Amino acid sequence: MSAEWDVIVIGGGHAGCEAAAASARAGARTLLLTHKLETIGEMSCNPAIGGLGKGHLVREIDALDGIMGRISDVSGIQFRLLNRSKGPAVRGPRTQSDRKLYREAMQAELAATVNLTIEAGAVEDLIFDEGVCKGAICSDGREYRAHGVVLTTGTFLKGMIHRGQERIPAGRVNEAPSIGLSDTLYGLGLQMGRLKTGTPARLRKSSISWEELDMQPADPDPVPFSFMTDKITVPQIECGISRTTEETHRIISENIDQSAVYSGAIAGRGPRYCPSIEDKVVRFADRTSHQIFLEPEGLDDDTVYPNGISSSLPDDVQDAFLRTIPGLANVEVVRYGYAIEYDYVDPRELDATLQLRKAPGLWLAGQINGTTGYEEAAAQGLMAGLNAAFAAEGKDPLILSRSEAYIGVMIDDLITRGVTEPYRMFTSRAEYRLMLRADNADQRLTEKAIELCFAGPARIERFQTKMGELERAREMARSRSLTPPEAKKAGISVNADGKRRNVFDLLAYPDVDWDMITAVWPELAELSEETVEQIEIDALYSGYLERQQADILAFRRDEAVRIPTGFDFGSVGGLSNEAREKLERARPETLGQASRIEGVTPGALTAVLAHLKRKQKDAS
Amino acid sequence: METTIYALSTAPGRAGVAIIRISGPKAGDVLDVMTAGRRPAARGAALRRLQNTEGEVFDEALVLWFPGPASFTGEDCAELQVHGGLAVIETAFETLETLGCVPAEAGEFTRRAFENDRIDLTEAEGLADLIEAETEGQRRQALAQMTGALRGLYEEWRESLISILASVEGEIDFPDEGDVPDALSHRAFEPLVILIASMQEHLDDGRRGERIRTGFTIALIGAPNAGKSSLLNKLAGRDAAIVTDIPGTTRDIIEVRVTMGGYPVIISDTAGLREAVDAVEAEGVKRALDRAVQADLRIGVVDARSDEELADLQGRLHDDDLLVLNKLDLAPGASADGAYPLSAKSGEGISDLEARIEAIVQERLSARELPALSRARHRKNVETASEALGRALSQLAAAPELAGEDIRLAIRSLESLTGRVDVEDVLDRVFSQFCIGK
């Protein structure tokens, strides 16, 4: 029987939206099933997109013609390029978003997506046909059949909200959790666990004394996320900055036993980089104050998100400590903060396409895989959606490597090493950070989207125009050079070694700028600002990038050795029991991935390689 | 492009012949340089003088040349069968490194052979064991021989690298956090300077390289006619010094070069220490004292019958110097704490002294803590790391991302010494020092 759908995406959060859009873009008949249509594209926590590592992910999503970047550009109300004063490899675009604009833009985008149907439905179970996932069943009994299912449950899997002594089963405030789906996953024999995260109280904007606060403005020239966006036209706002006081800390310390986390009610681990205010007060007892950003949730929204003080203390304690914060003496709370605990699946159960190895046809993306963050979720959604679509169409999967994209770094980290706390992207996780920049995400990835036919015509045209100009400019820069005396005449002092230096070589000198170059070659002045910036970045990093290229070649050689699914590590002679167990558990897909598993020695790798080679030889 | 690798394929330590294998694209060029252009015919062996990149001949060796693909690894290969002394091996390694070769990783020859289909696949099962044994053996050896002080040093380095990288990465990844200072990476400045200095000190340790080239120096000191010259002749195995029973016969310094424990050793016989009877002897005594101060090891020689001499000399010797009670033939049964009673004349007791000297020379000059091959690789790694950290230091203020790159490179090259530094270790450090979470 032919399925109604190629791909069903369950969940309308950031992972689900990106998955549905990607699957549809890849040509698959896609159904998005979610509890409530109104909350599609909801920002449940901090109304912000991007940052270090995260901004890189958004650029990569965009380079693969995903939607998060464009939606952020039409809803961002405080764009700031982080690390502006540092090198281009570590600049991170970030914005606060207007929650309503974001949600509306996302819903409009999906509604207009060809091949995509959206229906409301609370999925309670999955359909399996001989071990392969073939569809979903809603709580009202509706059944949908498909070639593949992408599951993006966020915090809904057995979600439990904690606030003081209160326990409320919920996926988000006032939204029921998914119990049935959790049981289904346990039934598959998957390694699962609990994680926790938290959110602060929401404050009424009009109850804050803004005049008492320092304000942080947006950048004067907002840098968009999407390579398709020319200019940010959304009005930009300021955020307030305040700080906790010793009095705040005193109230929190005195009531610490009422916090859900410290009373021992929560077993799941929370992220170290997103601690609650209770955690901050306890773990950093020597600090007398912590910074708080007061971020308006929208242009015409009376809600403010106080960034930095998530809490699971009881309502009255939250009220009390909030009022000790400068600017918040008379604050009104719109909704109190809470901690939430939810199920996740050990991501080592996944293959590199984010498909469950124990349940083919079922892809997972977002918090269910132990990550945190909208951007991490969306990036996984994109990859899961694409690969589910490709599988339905009988095409090869798309797998990005650590040397190509932050997306590759994240997925490899997840499936190889698992998680012990919600996983967040940092630039320090990327070995090839100088190569994997936000500014060149399109140069790294868009070609793949074009080749595999999931980039739209507008994207293709824009990309090809840009690359055409860039190539021409690079050629111009390569072919124009100066001898040391000529350079000296142009005011550039270099060693008198008789070597000709081209534009890239000259730009690599710290005191040489583009004006000095165009003074020598006036024809280069016609190049666009964007193109010149790329030339300058190429020049800045060239020495390091050349060295990294050699590393990457060696890295890719091991990555190119694929270990087939179902490879029997037990049949490899000469493997120690420890190495065998570790390999069996991690089930690496490439020799390179195997080498990153702790405890797998060079000997074990060679044994595996030998075995693979012999099989190859026997087969031919 | 593949690197060219080398390794000692005979057991490290004292042996008559040591075989150094070289594999990779530069193998032929290396042979040309080391044999002054007299590369042997393919698959042939020839006796050649080996020279370093300065053109200094350091050994005469049997040299073999196997152009790929018909070679052990399938690549161009060469083999140098040198005299087994550690000094020769070290010089050969140094020359190979100068020519751009790198020490082979554990099992790398085998792996290359295997990848180029030079090993029958039925042998493959045994390979893992082989490589494992090689790796494990090296690791155990390294661990066993690593002294407590050295282990402590490597742990310090690791600790320092984590905190340096945490400062740099913390500044890069958490620019918008109230608790993270803006110029956090500047905190890496001082630890970087200290770490680089520590590595340099480690590399220069005991001027090992210089001693290997010029020889380990031993000064024989003692009163006139204590028998220093006889002892010298005994150790040298020939009559280098004139031996008479007239006190003050040796007026200037007499040096002999010998090989002990596989290393060149220079033993100096010095003028006897006494009130000089003439100006020539006075100058001799002065030189004797200078030489004694500069020497790597002093051997005090006393007449076993003279308690006076013993007392005088004990003041001039360092803690780890040696004391010889000579003329045992004239004072049978003589002994003193920690001293070597012997008779330079009859040879009695000499072998104990020789064994002790060899042990000292080896301890101070050789591998110190590691077998020659591991040490060569480690040394190279420390050099690479130290250079990278130097670059990091200069980039710290202007471009922390480039500093970060070099620090990561340094960490990678030090992994064999310090153990792996994972990004999680670095993040741990950041999260424990700063309250992250806006």
Side-chain angles (χ1 to χ4, degrees):
Chain A
M1 182 191 107
S2 86
E4 295 162 80
W5 305 99
D6 289 323
V7 175
I8 296 174
V9 176
I10 301 169
H14 301 277
C17 288
E18 205 67 63
S23 165
R25 215 158 57 239
R29 292 165 303 149
T30 307
L31 171 68
L32 173 62
L33 274 177
T34 184
H35 285 89
K36 281 203 233 165
L37 299 184
E38 318 79 89
T39 56
I40 289 177
E42 184 65 79
M43 299 180 128
S44 321
C45 194
N46 185 0
I49 298 281
L52 264 291
K54 289 165 169 280
H56 291 72
L57 284 172
V58 180
R59 282 285 175 86
E60 290 180 357
I61 292 168
D62 185 70
L64 294 167
D65 212 9
I67 53 181
M68 180 174 252
R70 283 185 290 115
I71 305 295
S72 303
D73 287 344
V74 297
S75 60
I77 52 175
Q78 202 210 23
F79 277 87
R80 287 174 59 229
L81 184 62
L82 303 183
N83 278 344
R84 193 178 271 275
S85 65
K86 299 192 173 72
V90 293
R91 285 179 205 152
R94 179 189 191 271
T95 188
Q96 275 173 52
S97 287
D98 179 311
R99 285 178 61 211
K100 183 166 63 110
L101 289 181
Y102 192 94
R103 200 171 54 225
E104 286 173 356
M106 182 60 84
Q107 290 175 10
E109 173 75 28
L110 294 181
T113 300
V114 183
N115 293 333
L116 177 62
T117 305
I118 305 172
E119 285 190 26
V123 175
E124 272 298 302
D125 201 0
L126 300 171
I127 301 169
F128 285 93
D129 196 351
E130 291 176 7
V132 179
C133 188
K134 287 288 184 192
I137 306 171
C138 291
S139 53
D140 58 9
R142 276 178 294 159
E143 286 192 15
Y144 298 89
R145 301 190 78 88
H147 290 294
V149 172
V150 180
L151 189 58
T152 70
T153 54
T155 57
F156 278 73
L157 272 191
K158 289 215 173 109
M160 176 72 80
I161 285 181
H162 297 253
R163 182 190 293 137
Q165 302 309 310
E166 278 179 274
R167 307 280 166 271
I168 311 155
R172 276 190 298 235
V173 164
N174 299 328
E175 294 184 56
S178 300
I179 308 292
L181 271 179
S182 173
D183 293 339
T184 306
L185 293 174
Y186 271 103
L188 292 170
L190 302 173
Q191 279 295 326
M192 292 173 67
R194 300 283 275 173
L195 289 171
K196 80 151 210 211
T197 186
T199 198
R202 303 301 196 276
L203 313 178
R204 191 169 304 289
K205 195 194 225 165
S206 48
S207 68
I208 296 173
S209 314
W210 293 94
E211 68 285 354
E212 293 175 23
L213 303 174
D214 288 336
M215 299 302 283
Q216 178 189 56
D219 284 348
D221 52 338
V223 177
F225 282 103
S226 175
F227 293 99
M228 301 296 287
T229 306
D230 292 315
K231 197 168 168 42
I232 300 298
T233 54
V234 189
Q236 300 293 293
I237 55 128
E238 294 185 323
C239 287
I241 300 177
S242 189
R243 306 194 65 93
T244 57
T245 60
E246 292 189 38
E247 181 63 6
T248 321
H249 293 198
R250 189 188 60 78
I251 293 174
I252 291 166
S253 301
E254 280 175 6
N255 292 285
I256 198 77
D257 55 339
Q258 297 192 57
S259 143
V261 177
Y262 282 89
S263 63
I266 296 187
R269 280 192 70 168
R272 285 169 300 175
Y273 36 79
C274 197
S276 62
I277 187 65
E278 295 94 287
D279 275 334
K280 292 183 182 184
V281 168
V282 171
R283 286 181 36 217
F284 294 91
D286 58 321
R287 311 286 205 276
T288 52
S289 176
H290 295 284
Q291 200 169 38
I292 303 165
F293 289 86
L294 295 168
E295 306 174 347
E297 292 204 339
L299 295 172
D300 56 2
D301 192 323
D302 196 31
T303 315
V304 165
Y305 180 96
N307 198 342
I309 47 171
S310 83
S311 175
S312 64
L313 286 163
D315 299 359
D316 56 330
V317 182
Q318 291 193 32
D319 268 326
F321 85 68
L322 284 168
R323 293 197 173 133
T324 62
I325 294 168
L328 304 186
N330 301 306
V331 78
E332 272 174 56
V333 172
V334 179
R335 201 182 75 204
Y336 290 95
Y338 59 82
I340 182 164
E341 234 189 338
Y342 54 95
D343 282 348
Y344 78 102
V345 175
D346 183 339
R348 286 174 292 189
E349 297 278 9
L350 302 166
D351 68 17
T353 71
L354 299 177
Q355 183 178 217
L356 278 172
R357 284 195 302 252
K358 288 180 185 146
L362 183 55
W363 282 261
L364 307 183
Q367 282 166 303
I368 190 172
N369 291 339
T371 62
T372 174
Y374 306 149
E375 305 82 353
E376 286 85 350
Q380 292 169 67
L382 175 85
M383 298 309 287
L386 282 176
N387 281 311
F390 291 152
E393 293 161 8
K395 290 186 188 163
D396 287 341
L398 171 65
I399 295 167
L400 300 174
S401 89
R402 301 184 75 90
S403 63
E404 288 174 314
Y406 275 87
I407 296 176
V409 171
M410 171 175 67
I411 293 178
D412 186 62
D413 279 347
L414 290 173
I415 68 172
T416 308
R417 311 175 59 162
V419 297
T420 53
E421 67 181 331
Y423 178 98
R424 174 178 149 186
M425 185 45 76
F426 301 110
T427 69
S428 45
R429 297 196 192 274
E431 293 85 348
Y432 308 112
R433 178 164 65 192
L434 297 185
M435 200 84 92
L436 307 186
R437 305 188 306 268
D439 68 80
N440 70 359
D442 57 340
Q443 297 175 55
R444 291 183 277 123
L445 299 173
T446 302
E447 198 63 56
K448 288 182 197 289
I450 296 173
E451 261 168 42
L452 298 176
C453 304
F454 62 90
R459 172 84 54 178
I460 298 176
E461 199 201 321
R462 198 175 176 118
F463 175 72
Q464 286 172 344
T465 308
K466 173 179 170 178
M467 289 309 285
E469 167 156 0
L470 200 49
E471 251 331 295
R472 195 173 63 91
R474 284 182 173 145
E475 187 44 45
M476 288 169 89
R478 266 192 295 270
S479 60
R480 283 168 175 70
S481 60
L482 298 179
T483 61
E486 286 166 350
K488 195 167 182 213
K489 236 166 73 187
I492 305 169
S493 66
V494 300
N495 281 346
D497 53 8
K499 278 192 206 139
R500 296 193 75 88
R501 287 172 173 77
N502 68 21
V503 173
F504 289 113
D505 302 330
L506 295 168
L507 275 175
Y509 287 86
D511 48 350
V512 175
D513 61 20
W514 189 249
D515 287 346
M516 296 167 85
I517 297 292
T518 51
V520 181
W521 296 286
E523 70 273 23
L524 293 179
E526 52 156 306
L527 295 174
S528 73
E529 203 179 312
E530 188 195 18
T531 307
V532 171
E533 196 188 346
Q534 281 302 310
I535 301 280
E536 286 176 327
I537 296 172
D538 287 351
L540 175 67
Y541 288 147
S542 61
Y544 284 82
L545 291 180
E546 270 165 36
R547 201 175 59 207
Q548 254 182 19
Q549 274 300 347
D551 281 359
I552 287 180
L553 280 182
F555 169 82
R556 287 196 179 149
R557 199 181 53 184
D558 278 356
E559 290 304 306
V561 180
R562 300 205 65 79
I563 302 174
T565 329
F567 179 79
D568 179 12
F569 290 102
S571 69
V572 179
L575 271 188
S576 70
N577 280 336
E578 188 201 357
R580 190 190 339 272
E581 273 168 28
K582 290 197 159 144
L583 288 164
E584 285 288 354
R585 195 165 48 230
R587 301 221 58 89
E589 291 171 53
T590 65
L591 199 64
Q593 196 193 336
S595 72
R596 289 189 291 279
I597 299 167
E598 188 216 329
V600 174
T601 58
L605 285 179
T606 311
V608 172
L609 180 65
H611 202 80
L612 287 170
K613 277 217 169 185
R614 182 159 56 190
K615 280 183 119 175
Q616 236 169 45
K617 205 155 207 176
D618 289 350
S620 64
Chain B
M1 171 135 133
E2 284 287 353
T3 51
T4 299
I5 53 172
Y6 70 88
L8 187 65
S9 59
T10 42
R14 262 186 301 172
V17 172
I19 298 176
I20 299 169
R21 271 188 177 160
I22 304 157
S23 175
K26 284 185 187 159
D29 296 344
V30 164
L31 273 194
D32 287 345
V33 172
M34 294 180 80
T35 61
R38 300 180 61 223
R39 193 197 299 191
R43 263 162 291 286
L47 194 63
R48 292 284 185 267
R49 282 182 175 183
L50 292 187
Q51 58 183 38
N52 65 13
T53 47
E54 311 283 299
E56 295 160 3
V57 173
F58 65 90
D59 195 27
E60 192 157 57
L62 199 61
V63 176
L64 293 85
W65 164 236
F66 306 96
S71 70
F72 168 60
T73 59
E75 303 175 322
D76 286 352
C77 282
E79 213 172 275
L80 310 174
Q81 303 190 356
V82 300
H83 290 99
L86 290 176
V88 169
I89 296 172
E90 296 264 350
T91 311
F93 282 3
E94 215 170 86
T95 310
L96 288 168
E97 299 219 350
T98 314
L99 293 170
C101 303
V102 294
E105 297 293 329
E108 202 176 352
F109 277 88
T110 319
R111 173 151 179 188
R112 287 187 179 198
F114 172 70
E115 281 179 345
N116 293 323
D117 286 326
R118 297 298 300 170
I119 291 187
D120 185 345
L121 289 177
T122 53
E123 297 169 31
E125 305 256 302
L127 270 184
D129 287 345
L130 197 74
I131 293 172
E132 216 67 90
E134 210 175 313
T135 318
E136 183 52 23
Q138 280 182 2
R139 194 186 63 82
R140 261 207 312 266
Q141 218 170 343
L143 276 181
Q145 297 188 23
M146 200 185 283
T147 62
L150 216 47
R151 195 176 304 166
L153 178 69
Y154 293 155
E155 268 159 26
E156 245 171 61
W157 286 2
R158 181 172 197 276
E159 197 51 26
S160 176
L161 284 166
I162 293 174
S163 78
I164 288 167
L165 194 57
S167 299
V168 174
E169 299 291 343
E171 173 173 336
I172 290 173
D173 265 334
F174 305 100
D176 220 15
E177 294 281 349
D179 202 39
V180 179
D182 280 344
L184 179 61
S185 62
H186 293 192
R187 289 197 192 170
F189 193 87
E190 204 182 317
L192 259 177
V193 171
I194 295 171
L195 182 57
I196 294 168
S198 167
M199 288 182 172
Q200 283 309 326
E201 199 178 310
H202 184 72
L203 287 170
D204 305 338
D205 198 19
R207 309 192 323 277
R208 252 194 77 256
E210 190 190 327
R211 283 184 187 163
I212 287 172
R213 278 191 301 280
T214 60
F216 184 88
T217 54
I218 299 176
L220 302 179
I221 56 173
N225 216 16
K228 299 182 293 299
S229 299
S230 306
L231 182 59
L232 176 78
N233 287 342
K234 212 67 189 176
L235 291 172
R238 62 194 161 96
D239 286 344
I242 302 161
V243 181
T244 69
D245 50 10
I246 307 164
T249 305
T250 306
R251 296 186 156 212
D252 198 358
I253 293 162
I254 293 171
E255 284 185 345
V256 291
R257 297 181 70 90
V258 293
T259 300
M260 296 185 90
Y263 285 97
V265 171
I266 300 166
I267 307 176
S268 321
D269 179 16
T270 60
L273 306 174
R274 65 164 183 183
E275 296 271 334
V277 296
D278 57 41
V280 178
E281 199 189 347
E283 178 62 21
V285 172
K286 182 177 168 290
R287 287 185 190 184
L289 287 170
D290 286 351
R291 178 59 59 100
V293 169
Q294 288 162 11
D296 297 317
L297 176 73
R298 283 148 293 279
I299 301 179
V301 184
V302 297
D303 188 325
R305 295 166 298 181
S306 163
D307 289 344
E308 228 172 285
E309 280 182 27
L310 185 62
D312 176 53
L313 213 48
Q314 273 169 339
R316 299 181 190 271
L317 294 178
H318 300 187
D319 281 352
D320 45 2
D321 286 339
L322 302 180
L323 182 65
V324 165
L325 294 184
N326 195 16
K327 306 191 183 178
L328 190 60
D329 48 326
L330 301 177
S335 71
D337 236 15
Y340 288 80
L342 56 81
S343 163
K345 200 168 166 192
S346 73
E348 189 188 352
I350 284 281
S351 58
D352 284 351
L353 178 68
E354 274 177 342
R356 180 73 195 122
I357 297 174
E358 284 189 8
I360 291 174
V361 169
Q362 276 182 341
E363 189 191 311
R364 300 220 196 137
L365 285 202
S366 81
R368 235 175 63 132
E369 73 285 2
L370 295 170
L373 178 63
S374 314
R375 216 196 52 75
R377 179 162 62 236
H378 286 184
R379 192 177 171 80
K380 171 109 187 151
N381 292 349
V382 176
E383 273 166 7
T384 308
S386 164
E387 283 163 21
L389 293 176
R391 285 194 301 272
L393 193 60
S394 66
Q395 297 279 15
L396 205 53
E401 80 274 20
L402 295 182
E405 209 55 36
D406 276 313
I407 297 165
R408 290 169 180 217
L409 178 72
I411 286 175
R412 274 218 307 280
S413 55
L414 286 176
E415 260 170 18
S416 55
L417 301 180
T418 59
R420 194 165 162 187
V421 174
D422 194 89
V423 62
E424 286 300 325
D425 299 320
V426 175
L427 290 172
D428 266 344
R429 186 62 57 92
V430 175
F431 297 141
S432 64
Q433 280 178 349
F434 303 105
C435 184
I436 303 287
K438 59 167 268 189

